[in-house]
Amino acid sequence: MKRTVIFCAVLAAALAADAMLDDDAALAAARATLAKLTLREKTRLLAGSGTMTLPAVPGAATAREWTMSDSSSTVRASLDRWGWDYVEPQTENTRLPSLSALAQTWDVNWARRHGEVLGAECRDRGVDQLLGPGVNILRTPLCGRNWEYLGEDPVLAAKLCVPLIKGVQSFDVAATVKHFCLNDQELARGTVDTHVDDRTLNEIYLPAFRAAVKEAGVLAVMTSYNRIDGIWASENRYTQKGLLRDRWGFKGLLVTDWGGQHSTAFAATNGGGIEMHCGERIRRICNPRTGAFPLAEAVERGDVPAATVDDMALRTLFVMAKTGFLTGAARRRGVRNTPEHQRVARQEGAESIVLLKNDRAVLPLNERSLKKVLVIGSLADEPQCRKGGSAEGNVPYEVTFFAALTNRLPAAEITLLPFCARTELAETDATNATEAGAHVEMKTEEAFCDEAELRAAAEAADTVFVFVGTELGVQENMEGEGRDRVAFDLPAPLQQAMHTILDWKRPRTVVISRSGTPVGYTWTDKADTLIQTSYLGMEEGNAICDVLFGDVNPCGRLAQTWPVRYADTAVAQCGTYNATNVIYNERFYTGYRWHDHAGIRPLFPFGHGLSYTTFEFGELKVASGKLRVENGEWRVMVPVTNTGKVAGKEVVQLYAAYPGATVERCAKELKAFAKVALAPGETRMVVLPLTVRDLAYWDDFSNRFRTDAGDYDILIGASSADIRCRARVTVEKTAFFAD
Ligand code: BGC
């Protein structure tokens, strides 16, 4: 048996070095430029000159405008200077899998490649700042933008956003981590007031932002639309100054979400950043032609110290210098729409797919055995890449599942039948949703009507694929920006249709569930064969087929707990979810933390995912079981063996538990993970680093992270509900960490 040692940290460090100007040189260049600017010129660097631009400032030697573009899985087509219309003809870019899919890869290498593709495509389009990644936490399955984020777990999100950001920035493009912070719902996002206790904020909602700043050196942060304890996020001294700048030492630029700033002097004196907007409002924020310079006037009136504007402008110039924009340094060249980028889209997508059930080993399918195929569900052939709000793209092509299947099986007879004819839905106003919004009956996009026709087709087919789930868009059962889904459950007629189809017990029925967030399914016990995919971008269909036909052994793992019903979720049971005042009463019990705590079995647990092979975990070893040092590190080692007949990848998940804790703690929390590729029969030693700081909780009394002296259990699992081995470590002395 071959034995190889994998050091995850080494692996991550071995990823390509980044090319940006170092901080001191960039700061010196920024200072030299700032010294030449008038007050009005400085304020011009602090407001958009168009929907996606900062103005060229001759005094700053910025001969052209600084250009921004969304988002986290593509570079959005160019927008009209004053609005949200696309400039025609629209530019085309690769669309990678959504971040909810990237999260399901549990793979830092894919995160890095994802970032590099975005960086390269930005450079080729002349985009200087990418408005992504989004790292808000999946608090409620209803949130319309969960598909744009990295799942429910702060450690998973933090560990994936770091290589992604580094990948973008390795192309001399500024990444923007967003939406800072507590924008965990779209319902009334522009007005809602959020309230969370310090411990929950620090343990759940901040870690990904902190990692973006402190570990990835992200150059930009976007504030969110909501209020935090009554104060707009874009004017919030505590989050913008207290956390971001003072505690984390953020040197880059802050930018408001579009239209998310509500004042001039108050925002500036409370750590605010660049004000972005669109339309007429831009002309009022800063306009040399009309002479509208509200921020400069506030300085002249004495409402804002000149030094504040200097600091704000310096940050913009610093980021411009870092990327080479200001200094004229040679910037890395970009490319877009290359076969290599399309390959990344396909492979990352395939490796994000989660095999939830394969009870009768129907998968992988043998192409030769598929002669007459029925695909049920019109979503199977409904393009998604150009939808979803600011994260939408414009792609040179898009392969739906149905198209991919047709290409792959040229000799087969393939029929696509909808559940039934489409019925149009009215658009709803998200702000009308009520506290009980999640229980509103959802209208259905498709209704199951002609059972006889469908059944006859299913009986004539050797294989039936059922494509079910959500789509991107603005209607009430869809996922998208600016609104939440109004119900967790699949619409009742579709739910019923799924039961009916699965009750036919056609021997080869494969259910493909696609969504960026959990959906209420009542029929999964009847499905023998079930995969979960998120939105995979332009290669979605090919990526799904790669898994179904065994070209890629499924290795995605859920980045979200899949609840049985909405009423089982923490938010439904103890938090609040409404359009006015949202209190995070469930505290740090999000996702699996809640299910463990309340003893509620999920439909599928966080971290779950099957493979076409099997893996065994050997004896767990921990180097240095006792620790005196304050910031020491253990090396947790576990041998993993591929015990099946095909090559595959396992995700080794390390959770910590606190048997003797004197403060309230979760039953377990993810602390580290590694994805390991194994040939049949191969064993590898997986080494996961774990620090004393990793075991800390936020201590409200000392206002610091704190790890109490005592025993800790290290649990190694294949999911949060499938713990395979454990070991105990001891921290000998209580340790505090300022951050
Ligand atoms: C979204 C941001 C986006 C911005 C610019 C806002 O509506 O919330 O995520 O980056 O628009 O398009």
Side-chain angles (χ1 to χ4, degrees):
M1 226 184 308
K2 202 166 112 199
R3 278 188 163 257
T4 323
V5 176
I6 295 193
F7 292 98
C8 307
V10 175
L11 210 158
L15 296 166
D18 305 321
M20 290 222 166
L21 211 62
D22 76 53
D23 284 5
D24 290 343
L27 205 55
R31 284 214 173 96
T33 304
L34 187 76
K36 294 188 227 147
L37 300 186
T38 63
L39 173 63
R40 277 172 164 61
E41 283 173 330
K42 288 173 194 167
T43 62
R44 292 203 66 201
L45 290 169
L46 300 173
S49 54
T51 309
M52 286 287 157
T53 50
L54 293 182
V57 178
T62 57
R64 69 173 181 85
E65 293 182 306
W66 170 264
T67 307
M68 309 180 187
S69 180
D70 286 298
S71 175
S72 303
S73 62
T74 191
V75 186
R76 193 181 187 184
S78 303
L79 292 167
D80 173 73
R81 166 168 293 277
W82 302 117
W84 297 106
D85 292 337
Y86 290 111
V87 173
E88 297 294 344
Q90 286 182 39
T91 40
E92 290 173 342
N93 279 82
T94 302
R95 178 142 183 178
L96 297 170
S98 59
L99 290 197
S100 53
L102 176 63
Q104 289 186 177
T105 68
W106 290 62
D107 191 334
V108 290
N109 297 302
W110 280 124
R112 172 76 191 202
R113 287 297 291 128
H114 188 110
E116 286 171 345
V117 169
L118 293 176
E121 300 227 347
C122 279
R123 285 291 299 128
D124 195 56
R125 283 265 310 280
V127 169
D128 304 299
Q129 181 179 348
L130 182 73
L131 303 174
V135 299
N136 297 93
I137 292 290
L138 195 161
R139 174 177 182 252
T140 164
L142 301 177
C143 173
R145 290 183 94 173
N146 283 341
W147 62 283
E148 289 191 57
Y149 305 141
L150 288 162
E152 75 180 29
D153 186 82
V155 170
L156 182 62
K159 288 197 190 291
L160 291 176
C161 82
V162 169
L164 192 161
I165 290 165
K166 286 186 172 172
V168 172
Q169 296 193 164
S170 72
F171 276 85
D172 304 320
V173 171
T176 311
V177 72
K178 68 185 187 184
H179 308 86
F180 188 63
C181 53
L182 301 176
N183 181 185
D184 308 299
Q185 65 181 52
E186 288 297 285
L187 175 64
R189 66 175 178 171
T191 49
V192 72
D193 196 2
T194 54
H195 309 276
V196 65
D197 64 88
D198 268 2
R199 181 165 170 198
T200 303
L201 182 68
N202 278 284
E203 292 185 17
I204 305 291
Y205 296 97
L206 292 183
F209 289 103
R210 176 188 178 273
V213 172
K214 294 190 67 160
E215 291 170 41
V218 75
L219 289 173
V221 175
M222 186 190 297
T223 48
S224 51
Y225 282 126
N226 50 289
R227 302 172 210 238
I228 302 164
D229 290 333
I231 311 217
W232 299 112
S234 58
E235 305 178 344
N236 197 299
R237 188 175 191 81
Y238 174 63
T239 53
Q240 300 188 133
K241 251 192 115 313
L243 290 176
L244 208 51
R245 292 183 175 160
D246 299 345
R247 205 163 106 192
W248 298 339
F250 176 58
K251 298 192 187 108
L253 64 84
L254 250 185
V255 59
T256 66
D257 203 338
W258 271 234
Q261 185 158 315
H262 301 265
S263 65
T264 301
F266 188 73
T269 49
N270 285 289
I274 294 171
E275 182 174 2
M276 292 306 291
H277 215 309
C278 70
E280 277 309 303
R281 172 77 188 149
I282 296 169
R283 302 179 209 244
R284 277 184 277 129
I285 308 172
C286 195
N287 188 340
R289 271 182 295 137
T290 60
F293 282 102
L295 184 54
E297 285 152 19
V299 174
E300 284 152 4
R301 277 197 311 272
D303 292 346
V304 175
T308 301
V309 168
D310 280 359
D311 178 64
M312 291 163 80
L314 186 69
R315 287 167 182 278
T316 308
L317 292 168
F318 170 75
V319 172
M320 290 177 168
K322 282 285 284 184
T323 53
F325 177 88
L326 183 70
T327 57
R331 298 170 81 182
R332 204 163 156 195
R333 284 179 73 84
V335 283
R336 75 189 143 114
N337 298 324
T338 61
E340 168 59 11
H341 289 185
Q342 290 152 8
R343 191 192 64 76
V344 171
R346 180 168 179 166
Q347 220 175 316
E348 178 190 329
E351 296 205 9
S352 76
I353 292 172
V354 181
L355 179 62
L356 290 173
K357 292 181 80 179
N358 196 17
D359 294 355
R360 294 188 305 113
V362 162
L363 297 182
L365 296 164
N366 178 341
E367 282 171 25
R368 285 192 300 275
S369 68
L370 276 75
K371 303 215 159 41
K372 204 165 161 54
V373 176
L374 173 64
V375 180
I376 305 176
S378 58
L379 286 185
D381 200 25
E382 185 76 46
Q384 299 295 304
C385 286
R386 291 185 176 82
K387 301 178 190 165
S390 61
E392 68 200 12
N394 187 44
V395 281
Y397 68 85
E398 176 171 356
V399 186
T400 63
F401 171 61
F402 185 69
L405 200 63
T406 315
N407 291 340
R408 195 177 265 258
L409 305 172
E413 186 189 319
I414 309 179
T415 311
L416 171 66
L417 287 178
F419 286 99
C420 180
R422 277 175 171 264
T423 52
E424 277 306 309
L425 276 181
E427 252 185 63
T428 52
D429 177 2
T431 52
N432 285 338
T434 59
E435 174 104 24
H439 309 292
V440 171
E441 176 62 23
M442 186 159 61
K443 289 187 220 144
T444 172
E445 170 85 357
E446 297 180 278
F448 183 71
C449 59
D450 197 341
E451 188 179 324
E453 185 196 347
L454 208 56
R455 181 164 194 170
E459 270 166 11
D462 54 61
T463 311
V464 177
F465 295 102
V466 190
F467 201 100
V468 68
T470 60
E471 61 183 310
L472 296 177
V474 291
Q475 293 170 350
E476 55 188 20
N477 57 344
M478 298 178 179
E479 295 182 73
E481 186 179 336
R483 59 187 316 287
D484 289 345
R485 291 188 304 136
V486 295
F488 172 67
D489 285 346
L490 194 67
L494 283 181
Q495 201 87 281
Q496 184 49 50
M498 288 302 295
H499 281 280
T500 307
I501 292 163
L502 294 168
D503 282 341
W504 296 336
K505 298 200 182 314
R506 296 298 301 145
R508 219 154 53 178
T509 302
V510 178
V511 180
I512 300 157
S513 154
R514 191 208 43 216
S515 66
T517 188
V519 177
Y521 293 151
T522 54
W523 39 262
T524 50
D525 57 339
K526 295 182 180 171
D528 305 322
T529 318
L530 173 62
I531 66 167
Q532 165 60 27
T533 177
S534 196
Y535 303 98
L536 301 187
M538 61 201 284
E539 287 284 344
E540 177 167 297
N542 286 331
I544 293 174
C545 285
D546 288 346
V547 164
L548 296 181
F549 294 100
D551 300 344
V552 172
N553 191 345
C555 55
R557 303 289 181 262
L558 289 180
Q560 66 278 36
T561 303
W562 205 284
V564 173
R565 56 187 78 82
Y566 179 74
D568 288 352
T569 64
V571 171
Q573 291 208 4
C574 40
T576 58
Y577 167 74
N578 59 50
T580 49
N581 265 289
V582 172
I583 306 171
Y584 288 46
N585 270 336
E586 74 284 5
R587 297 180 297 144
F588 40 78
Y589 293 118
T590 46
Y592 64 89
R593 291 165 165 81
W594 164 254
H595 284 261
D596 281 352
H597 177 70
I600 299 172
R601 272 177 77 93
L603 191 60
F604 298 105
F606 174 80
H608 171 67
L610 304 171
S611 163
Y612 298 150
T613 186
T614 45
F615 302 99
E616 243 173 56
F617 291 44
E619 199 190 328
L620 175 61
K621 290 206 178 68
V622 182
S624 79
K626 291 194 163 204
L627 273 193
R628 274 177 199 287
V629 286
E630 291 214 341
N631 205 2
E633 182 172 300
W634 292 277
R635 285 168 6 114
V636 177
M637 293 173 281
V638 61
V640 183
T641 305
N642 180 345
T643 49
K645 294 196 171 56
V646 287
K649 292 183 180 177
E650 174 64 305
V651 176
V652 181
Q653 303 166 34
L654 186 161
Y655 297 85
Y658 316 93
T662 50
V663 293
E664 186 176 355
R665 304 231 39 186
C666 297
K668 64 171 119 46
E669 293 168 321
L670 183 75
K671 296 298 173 193
F673 58 89
K675 197 163 194 175
V676 55
L678 295 164
E682 185 182 1
T683 298
R684 285 183 179 218
M685 184 67 85
V686 173
V687 182
L688 295 155
L690 179 76
T691 65
V692 174
R693 163 69 173 76
D694 289 335
L695 300 173
Y697 61 94
W698 180 260
D699 176 29
D700 285 320
F701 296 102
S702 66
N703 245 323
R704 285 183 292 173
F705 278 101
R706 169 182 178 141
T707 303
D708 288 327
D711 291 341
Y712 294 82
D713 282 345
I714 307 302
L715 317 175
I716 297 288
S719 85
S720 61
D722 182 10
I723 301 303
R724 303 282 179 84
C725 43
R726 56 178 73 218
R728 182 156 287 191
V729 296
T730 306
V731 174
E732 293 202 331
K733 186 168 171 288
T734 296
F736 291 90
F737 305 89
D739 175 49

